[in-house]
Amino acid sequence: MSEKMTIKFTVNGIQEKKEAAVGQTLLKFIRDELHLTGTKEGCEIGECGACIVLLDDRPVNSCLILAVELDGKNLVTIEGLSQNGEMDRLQQAFIDHAAFQCGYCTPGMIMSARALIDRKPEPTDEDINEALSGNLCRCGAYQEIREAVKDASKK
Amino acid sequence: MADLKYVGTSVTRKDAVEKVTGQAKFIEDLYIGPMLYAKMKKSSVAHGKIINIDTSKAEAHPGVKAILTGKDYKNRIGLYLIDRSIIAVDKVRFYGEPVAVVAADSEKAAAEAVELIEVEYEELPAVFDPREGMKPDAPLVHEDLENYDIVPIFYPKPGTNIANHFKLRKGDIDKGFEEADHVIEREYYVPQMQHVPIETHKAAAHWSPDGKLTVWSTAQSPNVVRQLLAKCFEMPMHKIRVISNFIGGGFGCKAGASIEGLVVPLAMKFPGYVVRIVFSREEDMQGTFTRQALFSKLKTGIRKDGRITALQYEMIWDGGAYTEYGVNIVRAAGYSSSGAYDIPNVKTDSYCVYTNNSIGGPVRGFGMCEMQWGIERQIEAIAEELGMDPLEVRLINGMKKGSTTAAGQVVHDVDFEKCLKTVTDKIGWGKKEGKFRGKGIAGLVKCPAQPSNAASSAIIRINEDGTAHVLVGGSEMGQGMLTAMSQIAAEGLHIPTDRIEIRVPDTDFTPYDWQSVGSRVTYTSGRAVKQAAEDALGQIYRVASDLLEVPAEELTFDGKHVYSTKDPEVKATIREVADSCKKCTGEGIAGPIIGRGSFVPTNMTNLDPETGQGNPGLFYCFGATAVEVEVDPETGVIKILQLAASIDAGKAVNPQLCTVQLHGGTIMGLSTALFEEVRFDKGVMLNNNFTDYKIASIDNTPHIDSFIIETPESGGPYGARGIGEQPMIGVAPAIANAVCDALGVEFNTFPLTPERVWEAIKKKQAKG
Ligand code: FES
Ligand code: FES
């Protein structure tokens, strides 16, 4: 059996203490141990952005990070964006603009966009293009995504 | 069209909230019982005899439960030509083909065990180029072709690698060339591409001791998966349940049966467990359908006035190692071979050829992107030769109401001219804006490539409170099917969409639909849903008529109440109707209301085996793409300055989703036009990840001006037709035509990478 380590962290506002296998990626840990399956896997090697989550407010590809690195940190996943049944304004803007089709890239896309707006409340097209260039959407909802992000940042 | 309340409005997607909150369940998100994890051992040669497979070390590895090889999978599988082994038997035909599959109690153990399996091959001479492959002395990929089961609309040549030769003869080709003032001949090539949905292929299977098999799959068609598994594993259909959850993009690669068969025998060995396989990105790229590469030759005869009199089209397709599905792409491209143009004399030969490359198969457009690349480039060459405006050549030859396709099918409900003019007007056609700038256009058309009896059905259940459940068999892979079907149901039922529930398919509960492919579902499933809604509404009126004691014809339904048009006070709530019970006496009237609808085309026929003439199209969807580019002559980089796309949706059931679909298809087209090409070295895929296989990302996607044209489709529900694939078709040729306009350089292939453009510029300069 692989070696385990106890880690303490906050996930979506809740403090947790859990065992994590030493070689396990944060992505697998989030999906298989925390059962937060909103975070998706599209490549496992940092190329698609489907697995992006916020770690201490920074967007990270969770497939590239080890679960044990979560120790002492604050993790926010797509499930943590809606609070008390209220969606984040970005989530609402994605709905209003139909900024997705299959929805598989959407959690990662929204987390990247959230980090952008937090850092830059009124992003330009170029800011959006740059911040989301690591999030692939094969359904090609890019035009709607740009509109949704701008719309959400106005509010 | 009479006033519509729901169809034609941009209601919010049915799956919207689930998808933005991370709650939408894709199959890997389901916890479906105690699990075993499967991994494949893949062939390390492209063509070879399997001499020995030694699984002893792998079997001893901790956590391993079972290892199966080809001998455990005795039957072949396939949609049209039953040629495919789920696991290679005796020989392998492509690099990456499964030769064994391991089930273990963790993914890690399974992956480690795979490494411990030793396979000995005797390499066989291989074929990687279909033009070589079709020669009589080429090494054979399938020695047994003559014994394969096949749908009798395909024409393989046993003893060769030709899996299908589709022939089309329209009019009199010799006469057509005699009438021509000019003859133009060109050759074209379109490479393989990959769909790369962000969700890879996944499947899971569960076997219960009573003989029931449950399969979860990323399948575009749970019904076809059930049908093919039933045949392959010799099981009755009622014992197989196939569930497709939300799918993270399909684009054709998840059509037919793909990887489900791999886990079925493993599940049968371990009743009570769910055996799951998840393809890695690399496996997805090498081991699932690629777009078939196409080598083509076009010869066209044209009169001075711009009329095309003759077209001779030869297409040689790289079918890859198995062509169970690919044979039909070759057929579809053949019967559509004059593109969006009415050409009186056509001679087409379209060949599907086995090679030892990855398996060819359906991709968005189903052969049309590849085939119409040649047509749309050829029209450019014609315009150049005649000194005419390329738009003019397209307008002269473009299909109109009453035109005939290459197959001789008469088209109705067409406004191709409007599609063309809308986009050319938008980009300021005819005005040259600068030295390195150019404009280009391409037309496009596609009909669903489906068997003439491909059916859809629907059931609508009216609940006790007057809400409704709509049951359909189509898959939701992002195209918005659930939403569109709920709107069509709402229109027919008069019940608002927010009081209608509709979910992803499950063959034990949802009625039959052939496949969610070919942009057919809006039309075919839409027809079934409309009929089911009308059936249910008719029942509502009949029950209410009894209840209220007024004739049914006098009644109307506003979604909440059924009331008399003569006296609105005579009314019943839908709840009272749905409860089906007479108020005063307590006598029952009728049971719960269930509407049913089914659809099968009646306007399609098989094609004549010698001439390819007949009616292969359920409907034809036209469109056009226009672009303006600026090319940097120093680097070869193409900048898209304007991109306009039009599509004739007949009636956009949901204009917002229709626009997103139009954008999505255009962006996929743009991505293939500029970046995408799968590269093989002797069958080994060299670029099987997103770094080496680049696709469009947000930072290189320009703004798109989109136009939905609505020329009602007489057979479609509320005039609608499907548009999912079509927007992709025109993009590559429109861009190539624009670059040609800018710099006068010719391209017979794409993607138009900076290197390729730069080389073309240099070549032109060298010529002076
Ligand atoms: S799964 Fe992490 S970037 Fe693709
Ligand atoms: S919505 Fe399908 S990949 Fe982005």
Side-chain angles (χ1 to χ4, degrees), chain B residues 158 217 226 247 275 461 465 495 565 585 736 739:
Chain B
S217 169
R226 182 179 67 161
I247 300 172
V275 185
R461 302 187 334 234
D465 63 353
I495 294 175
T565 45
T585 63
V739 176

Side-chain angles (χ1 to χ4, degrees), chain B residues 651-701:
Chain B
K651 171 78 193 170
V653 176
N654 184 316
Q656 186 186 40
L657 296 193
C658 198
T659 304
V660 176
Q661 182 79 296
L662 174 50
H663 288 165
T666 305
I667 290 170
M668 198 162 180
L670 176 78
S671 187
T672 61
L674 298 181
F675 311 125
E676 296 183 41
E677 172 167 19
V678 167
R679 290 195 313 276
F680 287 104
D681 179 22
K682 300 208 176 359
V684 181
M685 197 177 280
L686 300 175
N687 48 346
N688 54 13
N689 56 60
F690 284 125
T691 299
D692 300 325
Y693 187 88
K694 181 176 153 93
I695 65 169
S697 47
I698 196 166
D699 52 327
N700 48 38
T701 300

Side-chain angles (χ1 to χ4, degrees), chain B residues 218-455:
Chain B
T218 52
Q220 286 178 229
S221 172
N223 283 97
V224 159
V225 169
R226 182 179 67 161
Q227 174 200 327
L228 300 189
L229 291 180
K231 188 148 193 251
C232 184
F233 294 104
E234 297 166 8
M235 288 177 66
M237 284 191 186
H238 73 297
K239 286 292 188 190
I240 304 178
R241 175 181 179 194
V242 182
I243 301 168
S244 291
N245 268 68
F246 286 124
I247 300 172
F251 317 112
C253 67
K254 293 165 180 168
S258 53
I259 69 168
E260 302 83 4
L262 279 169
V263 283
V264 170
L266 285 170
M268 287 173 173
K269 271 183 106 76
F270 300 100
Y273 282 88
V274 172
V275 185
R276 188 177 78 188
I277 188 156
V278 171
F279 270 30
S280 67
R281 177 59 53 195
E282 213 179 292
E283 289 169 337
D284 219 59
M285 291 194 70
Q286 173 101 41
T288 69
F289 291 139
T290 64
R291 173 169 78 191
Q292 308 182 117
L294 171 63
F295 295 88
S296 64
K297 282 186 190 155
L298 263 91
K299 183 175 164 190
T300 36
I302 345 129
R303 283 199 320 235
K304 280 202 240 32
D305 60 3
R307 188 77 179 95
I308 303 171
T309 57
L311 164 71
Q312 190 172 313
Y313 208 154
E314 183 193 74
M315 300 178 227
I316 299 172
W317 300 83
D318 185 343
Y322 297 100
T323 64
E324 48 114 348
Y325 209 138
V327 287
N328 198 37
I329 302 167
V330 170
R331 177 177 185 266
Y335 66 62
S336 312
S337 52
S338 66
Y341 306 95
D342 187 349
I343 302 176
N345 307 293
V346 185
K347 174 176 186 259
T348 299
D349 290 278
S350 182
Y351 300 92
C352 184
V353 183
Y354 285 122
T355 67
N356 296 106
N357 290 323
S358 289
I359 309 165
V363 186
R364 195 175 203 164
F366 208 69
M368 296 306 124
C369 298
E370 305 86 295
M371 183 275 286
Q372 291 178 48
W373 160 259
I375 295 279
E376 294 298 327
R377 289 292 299 132
Q378 191 82 357
I379 292 201
E380 220 58 22
I382 291 170
E384 169 87 31
E385 169 94 9
L386 299 178
M388 272 177 92
D389 179 347
L391 174 61
E392 196 57 32
V393 179
R394 286 180 172 85
L395 291 172
I396 291 171
N397 295 284
M399 286 196 209
K400 300 163 187 71
K401 186 175 177 165
S403 296
T404 56
T405 66
Q409 183 169 12
V410 179
V411 294
H412 312 277
D413 314 327
V414 185
D415 200 344
F416 182 41
E417 183 174 334
K418 189 170 178 186
C419 295
L420 288 166
K421 285 190 171 158
T422 308
V423 291
T424 46
D425 283 353
K426 175 69 202 168
I427 68 160
W429 187 254
K431 276 185 265 146
K432 180 89 177 163
E433 321 271 357
K435 193 162 170 222
F436 301 116
R437 284 166 72 166
K439 290 175 184 170
I441 183 177
L444 61 97
V445 66
K446 185 183 182 296
C447 65
Q450 61 163 38
S452 56
N453 62 349

Side-chain angles (χ1 to χ4, degrees), chain B residues 564-691:
Chain B
S564 160
T565 45
K566 296 215 170 111
D567 178 2
E569 287 311 306
V570 179
K571 64 177 176 184
T573 63
I574 181 65
R575 170 150 214 153
E576 285 161 335
V577 173
D579 271 354
S580 310
C581 166
K582 222 168 199 163
K583 255 192 236 151
C584 331
T585 63
E587 291 163 79
I589 301 171
I593 291 167
I594 301 171
R596 55 179 195 147
S598 58
F599 171 79
V600 72
T602 51
N603 64 340
M604 293 174 64
T605 64
N606 288 338
L607 305 178
D608 183 277
E610 288 307 314
T611 65
Q613 299 295 288
N615 294 341
L618 174 61
F619 62 85
Y620 288 84
C621 173
F622 288 80
T625 315
V627 292
E628 186 186 6
V629 300
E630 181 164 34
V631 188
D632 181 339
E634 299 304 316
T635 60
V637 170
I638 298 170
K639 186 163 176 214
I640 309 287
L641 302 174
Q642 294 197 78
L643 175 50
S646 65
I647 203 78
D648 195 338
K651 171 78 193 170
V653 176
N654 184 316
Q656 186 186 40
L657 296 193
C658 198
T659 304
V660 176
Q661 182 79 296
L662 174 50
H663 288 165
T666 305
I667 290 170
M668 198 162 180
L670 176 78
S671 187
T672 61
L674 298 181
F675 311 125
E676 296 183 41
E677 172 167 19
V678 167
R679 290 195 313 276
F680 287 104
D681 179 22
K682 300 208 176 359
V684 181
M685 197 177 280
L686 300 175
N687 48 346
N688 54 13
N689 56 60
F690 284 125
T691 299

Side-chain angles (χ1 to χ4, degrees), chain A residues 27 39-52 60-64 104 134-136, chain B residues 198 281 690:
Chain A
L27 172 61
T39 304
K40 301 298 181 214
E41 174 189 313
C43 69
E44 272 189 298
I45 50 173
E47 296 175 339
C48 75
C51 66
I52 289 182
V60 296
N61 294 85
S62 61
C63 69
L64 292 180
Y104 201 80
N135 290 83
L136 298 177
Chain B
I198 307 300
R281 177 59 53 195
F690 284 125

